[in-house]
Each structure stands twice: as structure tokens, then as C-alpha cells.
Amino acid sequence: MSPRVSVVVPAYNNAEYIGETIESILGQTFTDFELVIADHSSTDETMAIIEKYDDPRIRVLTTEAGGGAKRNWDRVTAEATGELVKLVCGDDTIFPTSLDVQVAAFDANPSAVLVASQRTLIDANGKTVIAARGLGGLSGLVSGREAARTAVRAGANIFGEPGCVLMKRNVLQAIGLWDNSHPYLIDQATYISVALHGDIVAIAQPLATFRISSGQWSVELATQQARQAADFHRSLSSDVPDLLSKNDVRLGNTKALATSFMRRAVYLLLRRRMSKS
């Protein structure tokens, strides 16, 4: 019998945090799940730490080097067998009730293809930076089209990082797994493609953490993120002509640019705080 849920972890040089990630998954109050981990040819102790865990729910894979995030995300997701799938990055965690709450949301809303929660932002030391963030004001059962428009208008990934999201595996497979057309938006673009196949459920409480890292502090990164967001908005408008207005796209592009530099400012303040601790 296949499990109800597959939790998949694409790992790469996550030795410092991968143990915490795995333990947060194994500690779920909902128990009908499998955990599939794919190590993307890490050069640190990531695999050695993974191999310390002896649990029948765990399957461990290796992925050859190259191909960027999509290669390992697709590989580990393709190995999932559950009806529902959640990807958790190798340095993030999920709250103990995450699967319980999100599976219950699917059970209560048969039209849903995706369930998303807020998340807690933490620093490299695990200290809370923002206790609850995400969803752009959405709550409860929302049409996928409305959720997609809300995300574009916000110019941001309102659905959150992968650990916040549980999806119907068959829909994710139908769209070709993870959408890497705009690499900085691999998660958001995928969520929107899935959402357009039905409804989503927005849970206005944090059920996952996202760890802020020093790699998110550069001006160049902020600029590229904003540029790719604008490209994605235009592509989505072209692919689904009746979804967005020209004003939606203009507003989203403006907000994406502003948000990218605002995020960088917050990260710089956080770096100063961590350097003093």
C-alpha cells in the first residue's frame, strides 16, 4: 500500500542542518507518510548524516552532479508514491502538525489541488526573525485562478517555500514536475501551474520554517529575482490569456522590484545582527 503522503527532500551540502530537517519530518503527528531523500552529490558530510537515520519510512537516493535545483527536485519528486507530496529543502523544517493539518484540509475540501500555510522565518542560528508570514491575505478555500492573480499582483511568492505546501501528486506530474523556466521562481511558478487545475486551501498559521542565508543578500540577486518575476508574469499572461489584466502585470512587476530590494535590506540588517551575536 502506498502512503497517503510523500515528503521529499532534495539535499545538497546541507550537513549543518539536514539532521534537523529529517527529525522535523520523522516527528510528525500524522504518520502515514514516506520520506524520500536525494543527495545531489554533496561535497560535505550531508550523506553521512543522512545515513545515520534508520527508519523504514526513509528511502535514500543519490543524484549525479549538475542540472541545478530542478534536476534533484524532479528526481526526488518522481520517486514519490503518495497521493500527496511535500518538498522540504535540506535546511528547512516543518512543524509537528504540518501534515496533520494539511491532510485534513484536503479531506475537507475535495476540489483542492494544493494546500499552503504561512511560515516562520528564522536566521542561521534558528532564531525567529518573523513569526508568521505569507499567503497575501488569502484564507480558506480559494479558487486557483484567484490565488494566481493574487500572487502576481503581490509580486511575491505568497504560497511560501516548498515546506509550506502540500500538493496533489498526480497534478504535479501532469504539469511536468517543477517549472524551471524562471529559476528563481521554480517553486512559485510550479504552485501556480498546479493551482490552475482546481482550488487551493490557505491556512493562516505557520506550519514550516524558512532559514534565511547569506546567499540572499546581494544586489545582483535582488535584481535578477525582480527581472525573472516580470518575465514570469508576462509568460503567464500569454499562456493563460483571460487570467490577468495589463494592470495586474504592471502592478506585479512594480511590487516585485520593490519587494526584492526591501528583502535585501532586511537581510543586511539581519547579517549585522548575527555578526554581533
Side-chain angles (χ1 to χ4, degrees), residues 9-254:
V9 175
Y12 176 67
N13 286 351
N14 298 128
E16 187 173 0
Y17 304 115
I18 190 68
E20 186 179 349
T21 299
I22 292 171
E23 288 169 18
S24 79
I25 297 165
L26 295 179
Q28 290 296 296
T29 55
F30 180 90
T31 58
D32 187 15
F33 70 89
E34 64 176 353
L35 171 55
V36 187
I37 308 170
D39 179 64
H40 202 170
S41 300
S42 293
T43 56
D44 64 3
E45 295 300 309
T46 296
M47 181 58 88
I49 294 170
I50 292 169
E51 290 175 339
K52 291 179 181 178
Y53 288 88
D54 182 16
D55 190 297
R57 294 171 293 182
I58 297 178
R59 280 189 286 136
V60 180
L61 314 170
T62 56
T63 303
E64 293 181 0
K70 178 176 171 60
R71 184 174 191 178
N72 206 28
W73 288 30
D74 277 356
R75 170 155 169 70
V76 73
T77 304
E79 290 290 329
T81 64
E83 173 196 349
L84 307 170
V85 62
K86 175 188 289 289
L87 185 146
V88 181
C89 294
D91 57 354
D92 295 332
T93 65
I94 55 177
F95 289 14
T97 60
S98 176
L99 296 184
D100 244 334
V101 172
Q102 292 189 315
V103 171
F106 271 110
D107 290 341
N109 299 279
S111 63
V113 293
L114 180 151
V115 174
S117 75
Q118 292 181 316
R119 74 276 204 194
T120 295
L121 274 60
I122 61 174
D123 66 17
N125 301 317
K127 295 180 180 178
T128 297
V129 177
I130 300 176
R133 181 173 175 81
L135 300 181
L138 297 180
S139 183
L141 187 67
V142 180
S143 77
R145 291 174 63 85
E146 180 182 346
R149 281 192 294 268
T150 300
V152 170
R153 291 170 184 157
N157 180 9
I158 64 171
F159 305 97
E161 287 69 39
C164 301
V165 174
L166 187 65
M167 292 179 280
K168 286 284 186 73
R169 182 170 64 91
N170 63 340
V171 179
L172 184 56
Q173 288 179 319
I175 67 167
L177 299 179
W178 296 93
D179 182 351
N180 200 44
S181 302
H182 307 87
Y184 287 120
L185 281 77
I186 184 173
D187 47 4
Q188 180 183 349
T190 302
Y191 303 153
I192 288 177
S193 293
V194 169
L196 291 175
H197 284 74
D199 296 328
I200 77 154
V201 180
I203 299 173
Q205 69 181 88
L207 293 174
T209 67
F210 171 64
R211 193 181 304 273
I212 298 172
S213 71
S214 59
Q216 299 157 328
W217 291 334
S218 72
V219 172
E220 179 61 24
L221 176 59
T223 303
Q224 289 183 21
Q225 287 174 329
R227 185 180 301 121
Q228 289 193 16
D231 289 344
F232 171 65
H233 298 160
R234 286 190 286 269
S235 296
L236 183 61
S237 181
S238 175
D239 293 343
V240 191
D242 61 341
L243 179 65
L244 304 170
S245 69
K246 291 181 180 180
N247 189 57
D248 291 335
V249 174
R250 283 194 294 266
L251 178 62
N253 292 350
T254 300

